[in-house]
Amino acid sequence: MAAPPSPRRRRRAVAVLLAAAGLLPATACGGVGLAGTSDSITTMGFGAGDALATVRVEETQKALGSTDIEINEGAFDEQQFLSAVAAGEPPDVVRMDRTLIGGYAARGAVVPLTDCLEDRKVDLGQYREGAIDEASLDGVVYGLPDSYDNRSLLLNEDVLKANGHEVSDVDTSDWKSLRKLATDLDGHKDGKFTRIGFDPKIPEFFPLWVRANGGSLISEDGRTAKLDTPEVVEALEYTAGLIEAQGGWGGFKALRDSFDQFGAENPFVRKQVGAYPMEDWYLSVLGDVSPDTGLRAKPFTDRKGKPLNYVSGYSFVIPKGSPHPEKACRFITEMTSPDTWVAAAKAKAEDIRADGSPYIGDFTGNEVADRRIRQEVWKPTGNAAFDDASRQLYAAQENAFSVPANAAGTEFRKAWQSAVNSVLSGDASPREALDEGQRRAQSALDRGNTERE
């Protein structure tokens, strides 16, 4: 789970916990020059946004002793990262989207963790297999997971009942009935689109629909794009058609963009959405700002009715030229260890429960940590909706998949996302868009694979 903390929880956590730990964030500026001093290490792409992050840094600081940790707050910036590596002044550790790691590994911008894992005697078996595979290239591990984002179906029971439906009517295995449900639930008033009946969450969740339709965007070995296969084309035809049936992309996107996603007037409270697949972190947001909303959760299922969980997330990597690779190794192994995760989860749960909000658990990419958090930290809250959603998330770990790692990284992701966007904007048919996406994706893969061979 890589939950963007709610603004009020983030402000409080940073002010209280960061100060108490004696850790001061470094100022992330543009350009190069991210390397630390001889007695400090620096990070990029990681933020001490809540108790979960801050306590992990505290615990890791203890393991590093007199070496200070300087946190460059802010999201990962590809241009800044590559410039810093090229200039020989990279940060010691970088946190990035796992889908990008294969591309940087192929270009030599990040280093294998082989020696690090051996020196620190790290048991790779403790991590979720998908999280390790997504951060590997040709079987070599380049990153350790810092988050593990699950997807499940979130439903607004109030919207369903007001339109004559029950929770059981939301069935992603039956694409025909799902389209009918979406148009039953959507809302229009005075010529304006006011409610999304069912949001397929494309382009972001397109890999989920492709897998549900029995396909894949890329071969398991990460070398062959499969964007033009019948399963992928049909998935785009269906999901784009689902949006078109509710009024089209223009109104759909405008309504999405207007959502008060993290506030008390969120789309569940305002009944602006009937149902959609969503990342697990949004349960924490709803629990924080509107625990009494009409939330219900269900597993997303493929067309055969089998539960399906599309997972993604972030991992820590060590860039080429890291000034302190041994300390960087210590940092990433301590930050992702079960003891560190459990200590942080206890602090986060205490922080959340102090507000009277439900703690739904944490999903880390470390299977041992997840099991201990469930056994030692999570407990039923009495709020049936959130307790049920938490249990479903733990069960969903057994049905997870991720997009295979590949040498094209950013370029491969852009290829399929651009194809989806061109259909949504009306610039191309699904077949045309995916044929062009296939050419771009395979060209990027061939180029990336050639550069490393």
Side-chain angles (χ1 to χ4, degrees):
M1 178 186 301
S6 68
R8 71 185 178 93
R9 195 176 298 287
R10 177 182 171 81
R11 284 197 296 272
R12 184 177 64 201
V14 170
V16 176
L17 295 171
L18 198 59
L23 301 169
L24 295 176
T27 301
C29 54
V32 298
L34 291 164
T37 62
S38 60
D39 56 358
S40 69
I41 65 169
T42 61
T43 70
M44 179 185 191
F46 177 80
D50 64 359
L52 192 70
T54 307
V55 172
R56 290 169 62 214
V57 175
E58 287 181 47
E59 294 297 310
T60 302
Q61 178 68 78
K62 294 175 186 174
L64 285 171
S66 60
T67 300
D68 294 331
I69 300 171
E70 295 185 9
I71 305 295
N72 281 300
E73 293 277 354
F76 172 72
D77 183 305
E78 181 175 17
Q79 185 174 5
Q80 187 183 23
F81 167 67
L82 291 175
S83 296
V85 171
E89 297 182 349
D92 292 281
V93 174
V94 179
R95 177 183 184 265
M96 65 172 65
D97 188 324
R98 279 196 286 276
T99 61
L100 308 182
I101 292 175
Y104 292 132
R107 299 166 67 175
V110 297
V111 302
L113 297 183
T114 310
D115 292 342
C116 166
L117 298 174
E118 184 176 336
D119 292 346
R120 297 284 303 154
K121 296 182 171 51
V122 174
D123 176 14
L124 267 186
Q126 69 186 300
Y127 299 104
R128 299 278 181 193
E129 184 177 355
I132 292 298
D133 289 348
E134 204 177 9
S136 302
L137 193 63
D138 292 338
V140 178
V141 179
Y142 288 85
L144 293 184
D146 179 59
S147 67
Y148 196 75
D149 299 336
N150 304 275
R151 272 81 174 175
S152 65
L153 275 180
L154 301 187
L155 323 174
N156 191 325
E157 190 173 30
D158 295 338
V159 171
L160 287 165
K161 286 187 173 179
N163 290 276
H165 285 282
E166 302 293 334
V167 169
S168 58
D169 293 341
V170 184
D171 180 2
T172 54
S173 70
D174 185 343
W175 285 12
K176 184 177 180 180
S177 69
L178 186 63
R179 180 176 170 128
K180 171 70 167 52
L181 177 80
T183 55
D184 285 351
L185 300 183
D186 70 10
H188 302 262
K189 185 176 182 180
D190 299 330
K192 292 182 63 176
F193 187 49
T194 58
R195 183 169 57 241
I196 295 171
F198 186 94
D199 188 349
K201 292 296 296 291
I202 59 170
E204 300 91 339
F205 291 7
F206 187 54
L208 177 65
W209 293 94
V210 170
R211 179 59 71 97
N213 201 33
S216 175
L217 295 175
I218 191 170
S219 60
E220 283 300 314
D221 64 4
R223 289 178 174 265
T224 305
K226 301 176 71 174
L227 303 191
D228 60 351
T229 56
E231 294 86 357
V232 179
V233 174
E234 186 180 27
L236 184 51
E237 289 173 343
Y238 176 74
T239 49
L242 198 57
I243 291 173
E244 191 63 29
Q246 296 176 74
W249 180 238
F252 210 88
K253 184 176 185 303
L255 183 56
R256 267 189 191 174
D257 292 344
S258 74
F259 285 169
D260 177 23
Q261 198 76 271
F262 298 93
E265 295 297 311
N266 62 70
F268 268 77
V269 169
R270 296 194 62 189
K271 299 179 175 54
Q272 294 172 310
V273 63
Y276 56 9
M278 189 61 181
E279 292 103 330
D280 53 27
W281 56 261
Y282 200 55
L283 289 169
S284 289
V285 173
L286 293 177
D288 189 30
V289 299
S290 51
D292 297 321
T293 188
L295 171 74
R296 292 294 181 270
K298 292 182 71 173
F300 186 99
T301 57
D302 66 14
R303 299 190 73 178
K304 295 180 179 178
K306 180 183 176 183
L308 196 59
N309 176 20
Y310 168 40
V311 296
S312 60
Y314 292 78
S315 283
F316 288 119
V317 301
I318 301 176
K320 177 186 177 183
S322 169
H324 313 100
E326 292 181 359
K327 292 177 180 177
C329 172
R330 186 70 181 262
F331 176 91
I332 66 174
T333 54
E334 290 291 337
M335 286 286 284
T336 61
S337 75
D339 286 346
T340 301
W341 275 117
V342 172
K346 287 179 179 176
K348 176 183 172 182
E350 182 179 354
D351 186 39
I352 290 174
R353 289 166 181 155
D355 289 342
S357 301
Y359 170 70
I360 67 159
D362 280 292
F363 303 91
T364 67
N366 186 312
E367 192 169 353
V368 176
D370 291 353
R371 183 168 59 248
R372 286 184 53 191
I373 288 170
R374 182 175 189 181
Q375 294 171 346
E376 300 174 26
V377 186
W378 183 82
K379 57 185 179 184
T381 64
N383 185 321
F386 287 89
D387 290 346
D388 182 52
S390 294
R391 293 188 179 97
Q392 288 187 33
L393 285 173
Y394 280 109
Q397 309 304 308
E398 305 305 318
N399 305 300
F401 80 96
S402 56
V403 177
N406 62 81
T410 304
E411 292 181 80
F412 179 77
R413 187 172 67 177
K414 285 180 178 177
W416 65 260
Q417 288 192 343
S418 293
V420 176
N421 283 325
S422 67
V423 173
L424 292 175
S425 61
D427 294 332
S429 70
R431 167 56 71 186
E432 292 169 342
L434 289 168
D435 281 348
E436 173 60 22
Q438 173 71 16
R439 285 190 286 273
R440 290 179 55 190
Q442 192 58 54
S443 176
L445 289 169
D446 291 343
R447 191 165 54 250
N449 287 320
T450 299
E451 288 174 352
R452 65 191 173 102
E453 292 174 342

